[in-house]
Amino acid sequence: SFPRIFYHKMVQKEKTLERTPVESEPNPSPVSGEACAAGPGLLEESGGIIVETTGHRKFISGVVEGFYGRPWTMEQRKELFRRQQKWGLNTYLYAPKDDYKHRMFWRELYSVEEAEQLMTLIGAAKEYGIEFIYAISPGLDITFSNQKEVTALKRKLDQVTHFGCKSFALLFDDIDHNMCPADKEVFSSFAHAQVSITNEIYQYLGEPETFLFCPTEYCGTFCYPNVSQSPYLHTVGEKLLPGIDILWTGPKVVSKDITVESIEEVSKILRRAPVIWDNIHANDYDQKRLFLGPYKGRSTELIPRLKGVLTNPNCEFESNFVAIHTLATWYKSNMNGVRKDVVMSRQVPQSGAKSTVIDVSSMAPPTLCSDTTVTTVFQQPIMSPAMPPQLLEPHLMAKTPEQEEEKKDSDEEPMEMVVEKQEEPDVEASTEPKPEGPILADKMAEDLKPMDTDKESLAESKSSEESIQEDPGSDIAPMQTDDQLKQDVFAPGPNEKPLFAVEPLSIEDLCLLAELFYLPYEHGPKAMQMLKEFNWLRANSSVVSVNRKMKEDEKVAEWQLRAEKFEDMCCSVIQMFTRLSNSANRTILYDLYPYIWDIKSIISMVKSFVQWLGCRSQSSAQFPKGDQEPWAFRGGLAGEFQRLLPIDGANDLFYQPPPSLPTSKIYSIRPYFAKDEASVYKICKEMYYEGMEDAPSSEQESDLIGDKLVGGLLSLSPDYGFVLEDDEGICGYALGTVDVKPFIKKCEMSWIPFMQEKYLKPDGQKDLTEAEKMILSFHEEEEGLPESFLSNFPSLIKVDIHAKVTDPSVAKSMMGCLLSSLKANGSQGAFCKVRQTDKRMLDFYSKLGCFEVAKMEGFPKDVIIMGRSL
């Protein structure tokens, strides 16, 4: 095969590797999908101001696969090329951090099998008219002054050249600034070392038309002491050969906004227009975050001031439709280099085939002029419910012949046309109110690795909400690995509601999904509304507390109305999860599932907690302060809801990994009511005798287990009770009392006498059955736990879930709800009692974060006490 012949030649060639640079090949004609934007050639200074020279140059636009995490598959990359060609993007930069031969072991040549894959990929990029740029990151351990190291780098790039690659990038990002002693003797600075090897490689390869360099100071916050005074950047700008383009991420690693002023500043230092490596949709620094919002925060006035833009999107390939499509829309809106910002507009699908158009405010700050409107034609991405369900895909649907005919020309590219903005646009007004703009953040996550997103305060953005609804109709079905097109619609498994299989995803579901996972510094409007409402319900819960001093009907009614609306919002999230989980498009589902599972789990817990607040909370309920700046912590929207619950620090209860196979099975948690008593008793009894043979048989003893283990809590402390339900009814419970000492006194006064009357004292002289021992306990005084223990663990809890429930996450949610209610009402610790022989419950509570408390004087002998601090 070709690679084997190539390796043989490489061995012969090593001795003569220090060849003279090859002559540059003539520039090829622009490939399909390339756009040559009018804009600056070389930048010249005139009185200290950057001005353009005339001429045309290619604008690099596309995708960089540059994240930390599992690289995309070859099939996914080919699908990316197809989409890029369709949408008018022209470049793919290969730089996956976890391809060890790209970064960690950069000296190693590719094997025969790897070479064949790369050749196939480079060929596929060429077939679709996409420029393939191979990036290599030798900066972790290269010795710049060692000629053997330089030779190894040349040999590696020679190999890739023989694969058919003509464009390259040298990356020196995310590495230590310090040089080794050998390099310090040769180079006056780190920048000089990098520039020296980059220039040598560039010339060795014949000065390719596209050659990129990523500096170690690749964003404003990494520049010391700042951009304009950075010796490193000044050296790069002065010494790097002018044909080499420089990558730049903006003011920060993940930049909320990239302004014209910031680009003009760095362009002056670099002596060339930069290529933006844009991390706005990168999610490799937080496993709970996904970004489905549009490309924004970058004025279209940037386009003529840049050499290109490459987006480094989400690790999950199928989640990047909006990220890449809106980048294409942004670029095509000003590809001719007009120095005015462009206002985006979108079409909002209605129930029929036709759509109305509404204006969407500019993605740039309103201080920028907006003379033109870009009209983007979009098609409704979801089949109407009347459509056959087997055609259902989450956001990319097959089109009917009528729809195809109607849109045969307009769906080829994201941007149909650029038109002059009229004073009164001739469009129909949408009947739906515009959503309020999302509240913007002042901080980004702290200590995020490996892409350390920005730690300092951000200037509050003035940009208004802009959301571009994509044209999924313009894209045929995405790459499928499971022969989806040959299969019927997904059939629910055991215990899953078949009802959901025929419920298609709605456009509202997809809008909600995108707004829950929007952008690094913004949640979408619906997500912000949910946070705002939950904050308000917590702050005003005293008006509906069980011990409020006076009943204010008007305030109670307002709280209950807002709580009802909030619960509806929570239900819409859970319904979206269910419908998406039953989607026929499993490829997209597998990419999204961990994220929708996570948000569904926390929203379910929050919904249950709000229900409890409305009927069981005390007026003195305490909550963590809700005034932290959003985005100052990890976890995205789910993390923010976690921090608003009383047990915000109980990370183990919020860590609920999704099942290995997606399921749409939904459980709900709600406060306990008196009508639930029989169901709780039934579960208590069944689970007590799980695996045991001597279950009580007499009619009188049928309630005995429940009376002994949960009856007192249900009767005297119902305010801290929760039940778990599925579609068949109650299948679990979580009970507790905030302070066990007064609870025990109440039991002695009312519950124990009632039990003594119900169950006659057995004869203690004979051998007693298990049931008789239990009855006897009602007639004997129980020892109290020592004060030294109860001062730290005042709350008694009892949690159990039926054996048929196989989802381990619901137990954590149940415990989360129970502990939240206890902590809100003042508890600082909880404990439970487990029989020494009950291995199942010992294991159950251990997995819920309870630990066995060391034996103390006063502890019962046949019971293990397990505790958990709050």
Side-chain angles (χ1 to χ4, degrees):
S1 67
F2 174 79
R4 293 182 191 276
I5 296 170
F6 169 66
Y7 289 140
H8 179 67
K9 288 181 178 177
M10 284 294 295
V11 172
Q12 294 177 323
K13 189 176 181 181
E14 282 185 27
K15 296 178 183 178
T16 58
L17 195 57
E18 289 303 309
R19 59 179 168 82
T20 56
V22 298
E23 293 183 12
S24 296
E25 296 179 13
N27 288 347
S29 57
V31 291
S32 169
E34 282 186 9
C36 291
L42 293 176
L43 292 176
E44 297 178 352
E45 289 190 31
S46 176
I49 300 173
I50 299 293
V51 295
E52 296 180 17
T53 60
T54 57
H56 291 260
R57 51 74 165 122
K58 187 183 77 173
F59 187 89
I60 295 170
S61 61
V63 176
V64 50
E65 184 181 346
F67 48 80
Y68 292 83
R70 186 174 63 186
W72 293 334
T73 66
M74 290 296 172
E75 286 303 312
Q76 287 173 328
R77 290 165 180 153
K78 291 176 187 177
E79 171 62 19
L80 172 67
F81 301 158
R82 187 193 67 76
R83 295 183 187 183
Q84 285 187 264
Q85 182 195 49
K86 196 174 191 78
W87 299 340
L89 299 172
N90 58 36
T91 303
Y92 166 75
L93 175 58
Y94 176 88
K97 295 290 191 293
D98 284 15
D99 172 357
Y100 70 93
K101 288 186 180 179
H102 154 78
R103 186 173 173 87
M104 186 70 71
F105 300 105
W106 58 269
R107 299 172 188 82
E108 291 190 19
L109 296 177
Y110 287 105
S111 67
V112 173
E113 293 75 19
E114 292 165 339
E116 287 175 344
Q117 279 200 317
L118 271 175
M119 279 195 298
T120 302
L121 192 64
I122 292 167
K126 187 175 182 180
E127 178 187 342
Y128 285 106
I130 304 301
E131 181 173 17
F132 184 101
I133 304 176
Y134 177 84
I136 191 164
S137 296
L140 287 175
D141 59 359
I142 190 170
T143 303
F144 293 93
S145 58
N146 185 338
Q147 197 55 42
K148 288 184 178 179
E149 296 276 76
V150 180
T151 299
L153 184 56
K154 290 176 179 177
R155 183 169 61 245
K156 179 67 167 283
L157 294 178
D158 266 334
Q159 183 191 28
V160 179
T161 300
H162 280 76
F163 297 163
C165 183
K166 298 179 180 178
S167 303
F168 298 90
L170 270 183
L171 311 183
F172 295 102
D173 56 323
D174 300 342
I175 60 174
D176 190 353
H177 275 72
N178 296 319
M179 287 191 291
C180 67
D183 286 342
K184 286 179 181 178
E185 291 182 7
V186 177
F187 300 107
S188 58
S189 73
F190 199 37
H192 282 91
Q194 291 180 1
V195 166
S196 172
I197 197 170
T198 303
N199 286 342
E200 183 175 346
I201 294 295
Y202 173 63
Q203 292 176 323
Y204 173 80
L205 293 172
E207 299 190 2
E209 182 187 1
T210 302
F211 193 92
L212 306 179
F213 167 81
C214 182
T216 305
E217 294 184 4
Y218 57 78
C219 65
T221 52
F222 283 7
C223 295
Y224 181 80
N226 53 51
V227 172
S228 62
Q229 295 177 299
S230 164
Y232 175 93
L233 282 192
H234 275 281
T235 300
V236 169
E238 291 170 10
K239 303 295 184 183
L240 200 66
L241 290 172
I244 301 173
D245 291 311
I246 300 174
L247 293 161
W248 183 253
T249 67
K252 303 176 185 297
V253 178
V254 180
S255 298
K256 182 176 69 172
D257 298 297
I258 300 177
T259 64
V260 167
E261 293 75 20
S262 71
I263 291 303
E264 288 178 340
E265 179 186 36
V266 75
S267 297
K268 184 175 179 180
I269 307 301
L270 297 178
R271 303 189 177 193
R272 70 204 79 196
V275 175
I276 296 297
W277 171 312
D278 208 324
N279 289 315
I280 187 67
H281 286 96
N283 70 333
D284 55 359
Y285 52 84
D286 190 340
Q287 64 179 3
K288 288 196 172 186
R289 304 196 73 181
L290 186 72
F291 302 116
L292 305 179
Y295 187 75
K296 64 177 293 189
R298 291 96 175 97
S299 163
T300 54
E301 289 189 39
L302 288 173
I303 293 170
R305 293 172 169 87
L306 297 171
K307 182 63 189 291
V309 175
L310 296 170
T311 184
N312 179 33
N314 296 284
C315 301
E316 295 77 15
F317 175 77
E318 290 292 352
S319 64
N320 289 315
F321 185 96
V322 173
I324 299 171
H325 194 287
T326 51
L327 169 65
T329 303
W330 174 85
Y331 165 57
K332 292 171 77 69
S333 71
N334 199 16
M335 60 189 291
N336 294 322
V338 179
R339 284 276 176 116
K340 294 290 185 182
D341 195 34
V342 176
V343 178
M344 296 297 189
S345 70
R346 68 177 177 182
Q347 289 193 353
V348 178
Q350 307 298 322
S351 56
K354 294 184 179 179
S355 300
T356 58
V357 179
I358 63 169
D359 281 340
V360 178
S361 54
S362 169
M363 63 178 73
T367 53
L368 296 172
C369 224
S370 303
D371 286 354
T372 58
T373 295
V374 180
T375 304
T376 310
V377 176
F378 300 115
Q379 183 190 21
Q380 184 171 348
I382 299 300
M383 292 263 179
S384 68
M387 298 278 183
Q390 59 265 33
L391 296 177
L392 177 66
E393 288 183 18
H395 75 277
L396 303 170
M397 293 306 187
K399 285 180 273 190
T400 63
E402 294 80 7
Q403 289 172 316
E404 189 67 56
E405 181 67 28
E406 208 171 288
K407 263 188 60 68
K408 60 184 178 182
D409 294 320
S410 63
D411 70 350
E412 288 307 311
E413 295 178 346
M415 188 57 56
E416 185 186 21
M417 59 183 173
V418 178
V419 294
E420 288 301 312
K421 185 177 181 181
Q422 307 297 321
E423 288 189 4
E424 292 190 10
D426 184 20
V427 294
E428 296 177 39
S430 170
T431 55
E432 297 180 22
K434 290 184 183 180
E436 294 179 7
I439 299 172
L440 301 178
D442 289 335
K443 283 191 176 181
M444 186 51 188
E446 296 280 355
D447 300 325
L448 303 182
K449 300 291 184 181
M451 292 294 272
D452 223 1
T453 44
D454 321 313
K455 299 179 174 68
E456 60 276 14
S457 296
L458 302 168
E460 185 168 329
S461 169
K462 296 179 182 177
S463 64
S464 51
E465 210 285 311
E466 184 275 326
S467 173
I468 298 179
Q469 191 172 304
E470 291 318 296
D471 177 8
S474 73
D475 189 29
I476 62 172
M479 182 268 304
Q480 297 294 320
T481 56
D482 55 3
D483 275 335
Q484 174 213 322
L485 299 178
K486 298 177 184 177
Q487 297 179 355
D488 293 329
V489 74
F490 169 67
N495 301 323
E496 293 186 344
K497 296 182 180 180
L499 159 70
F500 292 119
V502 294
E503 283 191 42
L505 275 162
S506 67
I507 189 64
E508 289 78 15
D509 288 329
L510 297 181
C511 287
L512 176 60
L513 175 66
E515 291 185 20
L516 295 174
F517 299 96
Y518 199 62
L519 289 172
Y521 298 93
E522 293 179 45
H523 299 312
K526 291 187 180 71
M528 288 307 305
Q529 187 183 0
M530 292 184 74
L531 278 173
K532 180 182 175 183
E533 286 301 301
F534 184 44
N535 255 318
W536 186 91
L537 291 167
R538 290 184 335 146
N540 294 278
S541 62
S542 60
V543 303
V544 291
S545 61
V546 292
N547 61 340
R548 59 187 179 274
K549 293 180 180 178
M550 49 186 279
K551 189 173 181 181
E552 301 172 274
D553 292 339
E554 193 174 313
K555 289 184 177 180
V556 169
E558 180 189 9
W559 196 98
Q560 290 174 339
L561 179 63
R562 291 178 72 161
E564 186 179 338
K565 289 182 178 178
F566 179 76
E567 288 179 37
D568 288 343
M569 288 189 276
C570 293
C571 288
S572 67
V573 173
I574 295 166
Q575 288 161 2
M576 176 272 292
F577 165 82
T578 302
R579 287 193 279 262
L580 188 51
S581 297
N582 281 327
S583 163
N585 192 325
R586 311 310 278 173
T587 307
I588 292 176
L589 173 64
Y590 287 135
D591 271 359
L592 295 177
Y593 194 73
Y595 299 96
I596 62 171
W597 172 271
D598 192 49
I599 197 70
K600 177 269 299 181
S601 298
I602 188 69
I603 291 298
S604 298
M605 199 184 299
V606 167
K607 171 175 170 280
S608 306
F609 184 68
V610 167
Q611 291 176 332
W612 175 83
L613 276 181
C615 61
R616 304 288 165 78
S617 67
Q618 302 285 329
S619 59
S620 58
Q622 299 293 312
F623 300 103
K625 290 184 178 179
D627 57 358
Q628 300 101 328
E629 290 292 352
W631 308 277
F633 304 95
R634 297 186 68 139
L637 183 65
E640 289 192 52
F641 273 113
Q642 174 182 335
R643 287 183 291 277
L644 293 176
L645 286 170
I647 55 161
D648 59 303
N651 291 319
D652 61 306
L653 296 181
F654 295 102
Y655 177 65
Q656 301 181 7
S660 54
L661 289 176
T663 174
S664 61
K665 178 79 172 178
I666 291 292
Y667 296 92
S668 61
I669 301 169
R670 62 166 174 82
Y672 164 84
F673 295 105
K675 62 182 176 63
D676 304 321
E677 182 182 286
S679 298
V680 172
Y681 265 49
K682 183 172 182 288
I683 294 169
C684 182
K685 184 173 112 176
E686 288 179 6
M687 300 317 297
Y688 182 85
Y689 282 105
E690 178 81 2
M692 295 172 61
E693 297 176 358
D694 56 342
S697 53
S698 70
E699 185 70 26
Q700 183 195 27
E701 294 176 352
S702 61
D703 289 344
L704 177 59
I705 305 298
D707 283 340
K708 174 61 181 174
L709 300 180
V710 298
L713 289 169
L714 295 179
S715 298
L716 304 177
S717 186
D719 288 355
Y720 301 96
F722 293 88
V723 293
L724 178 71
E725 288 183 306
D726 62 8
D727 50 338
E728 295 176 2
I730 293 175
C731 51
Y733 60 84
L735 310 173
T737 184
V738 71
D739 190 343
V740 75
K741 287 188 288 187
F743 170 75
I744 289 173
K745 288 181 180 177
K746 287 184 183 177
C747 283
E748 290 171 349
M749 292 175 61
S750 58
W751 182 251
I752 296 299
F754 174 53
M755 290 296 100
Q756 290 172 342
E757 189 177 324
K758 183 174 180 179
Y759 301 104
L760 297 178
K761 184 177 181 179
D763 182 0
Q765 301 301 316
K766 63 172 189 175
D767 288 338
L768 301 177
T769 63
E770 284 297 317
E772 288 172 331
K773 289 177 184 177
M774 202 171 283
I775 293 171
L776 184 62
S777 69
F778 288 128
H779 296 269
E780 295 178 341
E781 189 173 340
E782 187 175 341
E783 283 188 64
L785 294 169
E787 178 62 35
S788 58
F789 171 76
L790 293 178
S791 62
N792 293 310
F793 301 93
S795 302
L796 172 66
I797 59 173
K798 169 72 175 162
V799 183
D800 211 349
I801 292 176
H802 200 281
K804 71 175 183 178
V805 178
T806 56
D807 179 357
S809 71
V810 295
K812 291 185 175 183
S813 294
M814 287 285 282
M815 182 68 106
C817 290
L818 176 58
L819 297 184
S820 288
S821 67
L822 294 171
K823 188 172 182 182
N825 284 351
S827 176
Q828 60 181 358
F831 73 95
C832 55
K833 299 178 179 179
V834 186
R835 289 173 294 159
Q836 286 182 326
T837 56
D838 196 341
K839 301 298 183 187
R840 182 185 73 87
M841 289 308 294
L842 288 169
D843 183 57
F844 177 78
Y845 281 118
S846 294
K847 288 178 179 176
L848 294 180
C850 296
F851 58 90
E852 184 175 344
V853 180
K855 289 280 186 182
M856 300 173 65
E857 190 175 340
F859 273 26
K861 294 176 182 177
D862 57 343
V863 169
I864 292 174
I865 303 291
M866 302 186 77
R868 176 169 184 141
S869 297
L870 301 183

CSV table of all heavy atoms in Angstrom, one decimal, residues 15 42 129 157 181 212 298 387 409 414 511 528 551 558 630 658 713 753 757 791 808 810 850:
chain,number,residue,atom,x,y,z
A,15,LYS,N,18.6,10.3,6.3
A,15,LYS,CA,20.0,10.8,6.2
A,15,LYS,C,20.2,12.1,5.5
A,15,LYS,O,21.1,12.9,5.7
A,15,LYS,CB,20.9,9.7,5.5
A,15,LYS,CG,20.9,8.4,6.3
A,15,LYS,CD,21.7,7.4,5.5
A,15,LYS,CE,21.7,6.0,6.2
A,15,LYS,NZ,22.4,5.0,5.5
A,42,LEU,N,-1.7,43.1,3.8
A,42,LEU,CA,-0.8,43.4,4.9
A,42,LEU,C,-1.2,44.7,5.6
A,42,LEU,O,-1.8,45.6,5.0
A,42,LEU,CB,0.7,43.6,4.3
A,42,LEU,CG,1.3,42.4,3.7
A,42,LEU,CD1,2.7,42.8,3.1
A,42,LEU,CD2,1.5,41.3,4.7
A,129,GLY,N,-14.2,20.2,-0.7
A,129,GLY,CA,-13.7,21.5,-0.9
A,129,GLY,C,-13.3,22.2,0.4
A,129,GLY,O,-13.3,23.4,0.5
A,157,LEU,N,6.2,16.1,9.9
A,157,LEU,CA,5.4,16.9,9.0
A,157,LEU,C,5.6,16.4,7.5
A,157,LEU,O,4.7,16.5,6.7
A,157,LEU,CB,5.7,18.4,9.1
A,157,LEU,CG,5.3,19.0,10.5
A,157,LEU,CD1,5.7,20.4,10.6
A,157,LEU,CD2,3.8,18.8,10.8
A,181,PRO,N,17.7,24.8,30.3
A,181,PRO,CA,19.0,25.5,30.3
A,181,PRO,C,19.7,25.6,28.9
A,181,PRO,O,20.3,26.6,28.5
A,181,PRO,CB,19.9,24.7,31.3
A,181,PRO,CG,18.9,24.1,32.2
A,181,PRO,CD,17.6,23.8,31.3
A,212,LEU,N,-0.3,28.3,10.2
A,212,LEU,CA,-0.8,29.0,11.4
A,212,LEU,C,0.2,28.8,12.6
A,212,LEU,O,0.8,27.7,12.7
A,212,LEU,CB,-2.2,28.5,11.8
A,212,LEU,CG,-3.3,28.5,10.8
A,212,LEU,CD1,-4.6,28.0,11.3
A,212,LEU,CD2,-3.5,30.0,10.3
A,298,ARG,N,-19.8,38.8,18.8
A,298,ARG,CA,-18.7,39.2,17.9
A,298,ARG,C,-19.4,40.1,16.8
A,298,ARG,O,-20.1,39.5,15.9
A,298,ARG,CB,-18.0,38.0,17.2
A,298,ARG,CG,-17.1,37.2,18.2
A,298,ARG,CD,-17.9,36.0,18.8
A,298,ARG,NE,-17.0,35.2,19.6
A,298,ARG,CZ,-17.0,35.3,20.9
A,298,ARG,NH1,-17.7,36.2,21.6
A,298,ARG,NH2,-16.2,34.5,21.6
A,387,MET,N,-47.6,14.1,11.4
A,387,MET,CA,-46.7,13.4,10.6
A,387,MET,C,-46.4,11.9,11.1
A,387,MET,O,-46.5,11.7,12.3
A,387,MET,CB,-45.3,14.1,10.5
A,387,MET,CG,-45.5,15.5,9.9
A,387,MET,SD,-45.5,15.4,8.1
A,387,MET,CE,-45.6,17.2,7.7
A,409,ASP,N,-34.4,25.9,-3.5
A,409,ASP,CA,-33.3,26.8,-3.7
A,409,ASP,C,-32.8,27.5,-2.4
A,409,ASP,O,-31.6,27.7,-2.2
A,409,ASP,CB,-33.6,27.9,-4.7
A,409,ASP,CG,-33.8,27.2,-6.1
A,409,ASP,OD1,-33.1,26.3,-6.4
A,409,ASP,OD2,-34.7,27.7,-6.8
A,414,PRO,N,-27.0,28.9,4.9
A,414,PRO,CA,-27.7,29.5,6.0
A,414,PRO,C,-28.1,30.9,5.7
A,414,PRO,O,-29.1,31.4,6.3
A,414,PRO,CB,-26.7,29.5,7.1
A,414,PRO,CG,-25.4,29.2,6.5
A,414,PRO,CD,-25.6,28.5,5.2
A,511,CYS,N,-36.2,24.6,21.6
A,511,CYS,CA,-35.9,25.9,22.1
A,511,CYS,C,-35.5,25.8,23.6
A,511,CYS,O,-34.6,26.5,24.0
A,511,CYS,CB,-37.0,26.9,21.8
A,511,CYS,SG,-37.3,27.3,20.1
A,528,MET,N,-33.2,31.5,32.7
A,528,MET,CA,-33.1,32.7,33.6
A,528,MET,C,-34.4,32.9,34.4
A,528,MET,O,-34.4,33.2,35.5
A,528,MET,CB,-32.7,33.9,32.8
A,528,MET,CG,-31.3,34.0,32.3
A,528,MET,SD,-30.1,33.7,33.6
A,528,MET,CE,-30.5,34.9,34.8
A,551,LYS,N,-52.1,35.0,58.4
A,551,LYS,CA,-52.4,34.5,57.0
A,551,LYS,C,-52.7,35.7,56.1
A,551,LYS,O,-53.7,36.4,56.3
A,551,LYS,CB,-53.5,33.5,57.0
A,551,LYS,CG,-53.6,32.8,55.6
A,551,LYS,CD,-54.6,31.7,55.7
A,551,LYS,CE,-54.7,31.0,54.3
A,551,LYS,NZ,-55.7,29.9,54.3
A,558,GLU,N,-50.5,34.7,45.6
A,558,GLU,CA,-49.4,35.0,44.7
A,558,GLU,C,-48.3,33.9,44.7
A,558,GLU,O,-47.9,33.5,43.7
A,558,GLU,CB,-48.8,36.4,45.0
A,558,GLU,CG,-47.7,36.8,44.0
A,558,GLU,CD,-46.9,38.0,44.4
A,558,GLU,OE1,-47.1,38.5,45.6
A,558,GLU,OE2,-46.1,38.5,43.6
A,630,PRO,N,-23.9,34.6,38.9
A,630,PRO,CA,-24.0,33.4,38.0
A,630,PRO,C,-22.7,33.2,37.3
A,630,PRO,O,-21.9,34.1,37.1
A,630,PRO,CB,-25.1,33.8,37.0
A,630,PRO,CG,-25.9,34.9,37.7
A,630,PRO,CD,-24.9,35.6,38.5
A,658,PRO,N,-25.8,9.1,34.3
A,658,PRO,CA,-26.9,8.5,33.5
A,658,PRO,C,-26.7,7.0,33.4
A,658,PRO,O,-25.6,6.5,33.4
A,658,PRO,CB,-26.8,9.2,32.2
A,658,PRO,CG,-25.4,9.6,32.1
A,658,PRO,CD,-24.9,9.9,33.5
A,713,LEU,N,-43.4,8.4,62.5
A,713,LEU,CA,-42.9,9.5,61.7
A,713,LEU,C,-44.1,10.0,60.8
A,713,LEU,O,-44.3,11.2,60.6
A,713,LEU,CB,-41.8,9.1,60.8
A,713,LEU,CG,-40.4,8.8,61.5
A,713,LEU,CD1,-39.4,8.1,60.5
A,713,LEU,CD2,-39.9,10.1,62.0
A,753,PRO,N,-48.7,4.7,73.4
A,753,PRO,CA,-49.9,4.2,74.1
A,753,PRO,C,-50.9,3.6,73.1
A,753,PRO,O,-51.6,2.6,73.3
A,753,PRO,CB,-50.5,5.5,74.7
A,753,PRO,CG,-49.3,6.4,75.0
A,753,PRO,CD,-48.4,6.1,73.8
A,757,GLU,N,-52.1,-0.3,73.0
A,757,GLU,CA,-53.5,-0.7,73.0
A,757,GLU,C,-53.8,-1.7,71.8
A,757,GLU,O,-54.6,-2.6,71.9
A,757,GLU,CB,-54.4,0.5,72.9
A,757,GLU,CG,-55.9,0.3,73.0
A,757,GLU,CD,-56.7,1.6,73.0
A,757,GLU,OE1,-56.2,2.6,73.5
A,757,GLU,OE2,-57.8,1.6,72.4
A,791,SER,N,-26.5,16.3,69.6
A,791,SER,CA,-26.2,17.7,69.4
A,791,SER,C,-25.6,17.9,68.0
A,791,SER,O,-25.7,18.9,67.4
A,791,SER,CB,-25.2,18.2,70.4
A,791,SER,OG,-24.0,17.4,70.3
A,808,PRO,N,-30.5,4.0,40.2
A,808,PRO,CA,-29.9,4.4,41.5
A,808,PRO,C,-30.0,5.9,41.8
A,808,PRO,O,-29.8,6.3,42.9
A,808,PRO,CB,-28.4,4.0,41.4
A,808,PRO,CG,-28.2,4.0,39.9
A,808,PRO,CD,-29.5,3.6,39.3
A,810,VAL,N,-32.6,7.9,41.7
A,810,VAL,CA,-33.8,8.4,42.4
A,810,VAL,C,-33.6,8.3,44.0
A,810,VAL,O,-34.2,9.2,44.7
A,810,VAL,CB,-35.0,7.6,42.0
A,810,VAL,CG1,-35.4,7.8,40.6
A,810,VAL,CG2,-34.9,6.1,42.3
A,850,CYS,N,-24.1,8.2,54.0
A,850,CYS,CA,-24.2,8.0,55.5
A,850,CYS,C,-23.0,7.1,55.9
A,850,CYS,O,-22.6,6.2,55.2
A,850,CYS,CB,-25.5,7.3,55.9
A,850,CYS,SG,-26.9,8.3,55.5
